[in-house]
Amino acid sequence: MTISAETTFVRKYIDFLKQLNMYLNHFPRHEKYALAQAIRQDAYRVFDLMVEGQKKYYKKTSLTELDITFEQLKSKLLLAYHLGYFQFKDGKTDSKNPTTMSEKRFAVLSRMADELGRMIGGWIKKVKEDKKW
């Protein structure tokens, strides 16, 4: 990954984190320290692994762990969606149109996560080609 690609990736991930945190802040109160916290921890761990992957010469372990942790993060987001946690606003169900809001929030995060996942996959492919795997 080149310098400009790295900074683009970091910028996009920061945008994803900002969006994610905004939605997690609306999760129901009983989930603030359970699933929401687990999602945050995975999200921050992915960020740590991105930095680690950029700094190491041999990147196999870091990028493998990055890929796995990112998949775990996406799985937890899917679980939160199926449990209906994206339909909450300020810890309470939004009575106006909870299903639409939930679908919209999940769609936004899914689009961003898909793009980031493709970037991670491209990074892994490039590192393998450069024989730094």
Side-chain angles (χ1 to χ4, degrees):
M1 194 177 271
T2 65
I3 299 286
S4 62
E6 288 174 0
T7 50
T8 300
F9 185 42
V10 169
R11 262 189 272 119
K12 285 182 183 284
Y13 195 74
I14 289 171
D15 289 343
F16 173 75
L17 281 176
K18 289 195 297 194
Q19 194 71 45
L20 177 65
N21 273 308
M22 185 172 59
Y23 293 156
L24 291 177
N25 288 337
H26 291 287
F27 269 36
R29 291 189 216 323
H30 70 277
E31 281 299 334
K32 293 259 182 186
Y33 300 103
L35 185 58
Q37 186 62 25
I39 290 170
R40 269 194 187 94
Q41 287 173 341
D42 281 352
Y44 296 148
R45 180 70 184 134
V46 166
F47 194 75
D48 291 343
L49 289 165
M50 287 169 40
V51 173
E52 192 175 303
Q54 291 171 357
K55 291 297 180 182
K56 285 188 172 179
Y57 182 79
Y58 290 107
K59 303 171 186 297
K60 182 177 184 175
T61 307
S62 298
L63 292 184
T64 300
E65 193 174 341
L66 170 64
D67 194 31
I68 291 167
T69 305
F70 192 69
E71 277 303 311
Q72 291 170 336
L73 171 62
K74 291 188 335 185
S75 296
K76 286 179 181 128
L77 290 174
L78 181 62
L79 175 62
Y81 171 72
H82 285 292
L83 291 173
Y85 295 156
F86 287 111
Q87 69 184 4
F88 284 78
K89 184 172 182 170
D90 297 325
K92 298 177 182 140
T93 304
D94 186 12
S95 58
K96 290 181 183 175
N97 201 346
T99 306
T100 304
M101 183 172 61
S102 180
E103 289 171 357
K104 180 184 174 213
R105 287 177 174 181
F106 184 68
V108 167
L109 290 175
S110 291
R111 268 193 307 277
M112 294 173 95
D114 286 346
E115 183 178 7
L116 290 163
R118 284 191 302 274
M119 292 175 93
I120 291 169
W123 190 6
I124 291 171
K125 183 179 177 185
K126 174 92 171 89
V127 167
K128 284 181 178 179
E129 289 170 358
D130 291 348
K131 309 280 190 249
K132 293 183 181 176
W133 189 250

